[in-house]
Amino acid sequence: MRLAIEHELNSALQNSEFWMVYQPQIKADGSLHGVEALIRWENEKLGFVPPDKFISVAEEMGLMDSIGDFIIDRSLQEIKAIKDELDISFSVSINISVKQMMESDFLEKLLAKIERYRCVKKEITLEITESLFIEDMEYILPILAEVKHTG
């Protein structure tokens, strides 16, 4: 199965096989606090492939930068459209891989997407995925501080 996933992942983005779903996060009073953005993949040959089956493979193949960009871009775009249509505010939580965060232009690209979709920074939460050990804390901590500083 792993080899099939590797083979099919190479063209999944180009073939628009990924999409986002949003899991509601509900407050104790029953009102909407926010949503967690979750990627889904359905492939013509493999059918539905759960994230726990393809994310680690994508990380090992070096595809998480591209997939991560898709996740951020699509989530911000879709959540902004939902907020505008419903005229409500809520947060969105987006999972980020350590490798993605370590890209030299990660923060610049993130801020550009937030600006492009006119999102409210304080309504965006970034969650670092736990699938990789953070090897270079000295590199990551200033990035996290800058993310926090920008709001």
Side-chain angles (χ1 to χ4, degrees):
M1 179 69 167
R2 181 180 170 80
L3 288 175
I5 290 173
E6 284 181 19
H7 183 267
E8 295 301 316
L9 265 175
N10 281 317
S11 60
L13 272 173
Q14 295 169 338
N15 295 338
S16 300
E17 296 174 6
F18 293 114
W19 76 94
M20 301 303 300
V21 297
Y22 303 98
Q23 179 176 327
Q25 299 168 328
I26 306 298
K27 296 179 189 176
D29 67 3
S31 64
L32 178 66
H33 166 72
V35 296
E36 181 178 6
L38 303 168
I39 190 166
R40 296 295 182 251
W41 179 32
E42 186 154 2
N43 176 270
E44 186 175 302
K45 293 179 183 172
L46 303 176
F48 177 75
V49 184
D52 66 325
K53 299 290 185 209
F54 75 84
I55 294 291
S56 61
V57 176
E59 286 174 342
E60 291 172 18
M61 293 176 63
L63 297 174
M64 277 313 297
D65 294 348
S66 299
I67 294 172
D69 283 345
F70 167 84
I71 291 169
I72 292 171
D73 195 68
R74 183 64 57 92
S75 297
L76 294 178
Q77 179 184 27
E78 290 179 351
I79 292 303
K80 177 63 173 163
I82 291 168
K83 288 178 176 185
D84 287 350
E85 184 174 327
L86 300 177
D87 194 28
I88 60 172
S89 292
F90 57 90
S91 67
V92 61
S93 178
I94 302 172
N95 294 310
I96 305 293
S97 76
V98 172
K99 284 185 178 181
Q100 183 181 5
M101 185 170 276
M102 291 182 74
E103 291 177 41
S104 61
D105 61 348
F106 168 76
L107 186 57
E108 181 181 321
K109 289 190 319 187
L110 174 65
L111 293 173
K113 289 176 185 192
I114 290 170
E115 187 173 318
R116 178 183 324 138
Y117 297 116
R118 300 177 327 274
C119 296
V120 177
K121 291 178 192 173
K122 69 179 183 175
E123 293 177 351
I124 300 168
T125 300
L126 302 179
E127 295 184 15
I128 299 174
T129 58
E130 299 170 11
S131 61
L132 291 175
F133 178 75
I134 301 176
E135 296 172 5
D136 192 349
M137 288 300 288
E138 291 178 16
Y139 185 83
I140 291 290
L141 287 176
I143 295 170
L144 292 174
E146 186 64 24
V147 167
K148 184 176 180 180
H149 176 74
T150 63

